[in-house]
Amino acid sequence: QVQLVESGGGLVQPGGSLRLSCAASGFTFGDYHMTWVRQAPGKGLEWISSINGGGRTTTYADSVKGRFTISRDNANNTLYLQMNSLKPEDTASYYCEKGGIYVPRGDARGPGTQVTVSS
């Protein structure tokens, strides 16, 4: 079955960087869009970024554009999110999500990794 496991979260100071990873298994990774979403305390899920199966098409929410970079390694079934210039408002649990072959969103997510941006 589909398994998604995020890692790389932690506590970082404002202005710092983190790189999140998502190890995927149970499906043909390179065929599917993948997405990062996040959920801040007391708030709903927020779409962050998506990437198509081949890795050539990426989209970003305005809130992270220019600071975050999504990428993937299809040979190793891994999705990444490089986060730079982190802000306190980036504090959230971050989840990777398996999309569809033709659409970026889906309903399978991992357990998440916590990112806390604080001085």
Side-chain angles (χ1 to χ4, degrees), residues 6-12 18 20 39-41 83 90-95 111-117:
E6 303 90 344
S7 61
L11 173 63
V12 63
L18 282 175
L20 305 185
Q39 187 166 26
M83 306 187 296
D90 295 319
T91 295
S93 293
Y94 284 71
Y95 304 88
T113 187
Q114 177 66 34
V115 172
T116 302
V117 184

Side-chain angles (χ1 to χ4, degrees), residues 4-10 20-22 36-39 45 92-97 109-115:
L4 301 165
V5 180
E6 303 90 344
S7 61
L20 305 185
S21 299
C22 171
W36 286 99
V37 297
R38 69 185 180 187
Q39 187 166 26
L45 275 176
S93 293
Y94 284 71
Y95 304 88
C96 65
E97 179 180 286
R109 301 185 194 100
T113 187
Q114 177 66 34
V115 172

Side-chain angles (χ1 to χ4, degrees), residues 28-39:
T28 307
F29 182 71
D31 284 352
Y32 290 84
H33 285 72
M34 294 295 295
T35 287
W36 286 99
V37 297
R38 69 185 180 187
Q39 187 166 26

Side-chain angles (χ1 to χ4, degrees), residues 27-97:
F27 62 103
T28 307
F29 182 71
D31 284 352
Y32 290 84
H33 285 72
M34 294 295 295
T35 287
W36 286 99
V37 297
R38 69 185 180 187
Q39 187 166 26
K43 296 188 177 181
L45 275 176
E46 176 189 12
W47 170 77
I48 294 299
S49 181
S50 296
I51 187 168
N52 73 333
R56 294 180 181 179
T57 301
T58 58
T59 52
Y60 297 92
D62 287 344
S63 59
V64 305
K65 196 173 295 181
R67 300 188 297 122
F68 291 10
T69 302
I70 191 171
S71 62
R72 64 192 298 160
D73 179 351
N74 286 346
N76 290 296
N77 294 350
T78 304
L79 177 72
Y80 299 102
L81 185 68
Q82 177 67 44
M83 306 187 296
N84 299 328
S85 304
L86 282 161
K87 305 175 182 180
E89 51 264 44
D90 295 319
T91 295
S93 293
Y94 284 71
Y95 304 88
C96 65
E97 179 180 286

